Amino acid sequence: DNDMQIAGSYQPEGKDAALNMEASIASFSMASLEPLTFGQLKDLRGAMTGNLVIKGSLDAPAINGDIRFRNTEFFSTYLRTHLALRDEVISFSSEGIEFKDFEVFDRQNNSIAVRGDINTSDYKTFSLDINVGAENFQLMNTTEDDNELFYGDVRLNTQTTIRGTNHLPVINMRLSLGE
């Protein structure tokens, strides 16, 4: 079941063009998104909830609020991997987008965790301060029939930092294959 409301206005005319909108998502079924993935994701379950307030202009929107994924699960047909987001939040503020202990779990309960910020004042230029960590996370579980070039049970160990900007990201990665 989907229960969401979007209310507000956009004044496109003149020097003072302005956004004034609020989105309230009491419950949005993730299964509703499955047709939009064109077969890349299957068995989508769970819900998204949250509230967002969008003000300002199209050139510099001010977005505040949270989007929460509750008991979300899906199967990636390309990677042939089952993934889950138990209770994960993406927060939006005047500084940008924040990931607080955002974790994605594989079927064996191993996680890949994203922590950090994507700072922006205009949603055009971004400053990156993101940390990614995983131990024995199942990234891929494909056969040669699925993809002749890349296949296998690939488990990932990583400690990664992403800094810089969207125009010049600086990625430092310690990466190894798991068992």
Side-chain angles (χ1 to χ4, degrees), residues 136-168:
N136 212 34
F137 179 76
Q138 187 177 46
L139 181 65
M140 189 167 63
N141 189 27
T142 58
T143 66
E144 189 174 6
D145 290 337
D146 297 321
N147 184 327
E148 291 179 6
L149 191 55
F150 301 105
Y151 61 91
D153 181 3
V154 178
R155 296 175 183 276
L156 180 70
N157 302 316
T158 189
Q159 290 300 319
T160 301
T161 60
I162 305 169
R163 304 290 188 265
T165 68
N166 58 310
H167 299 290
L168 187 61

Side-chain angles (χ1 to χ4, degrees), residues 34-95:
E34 191 166 323
L36 302 175
T37 70
F38 300 101
Q40 293 299 307
L41 301 178
K42 284 187 162 187
D43 304 325
L44 267 136
R45 290 189 292 275
M48 180 173 52
T49 62
N51 290 294
L52 291 176
V53 175
I54 305 166
K55 295 186 181 264
S57 68
L58 290 177
D59 288 331
I63 304 172
N64 288 287
D66 296 320
I67 297 292
R68 182 178 300 271
F69 299 90
R70 295 186 183 274
N71 300 315
T72 299
E73 297 181 27
F74 57 91
F75 180 77
S76 169
T77 58
Y78 184 75
L79 299 173
R80 313 272 323 143
T81 304
H82 181 269
L83 301 170
L85 293 84
R86 295 185 180 139
D87 189 20
E88 306 307 321
V89 177
I90 301 173
S91 297
F92 297 82
S93 71
S94 59
E95 286 85 37

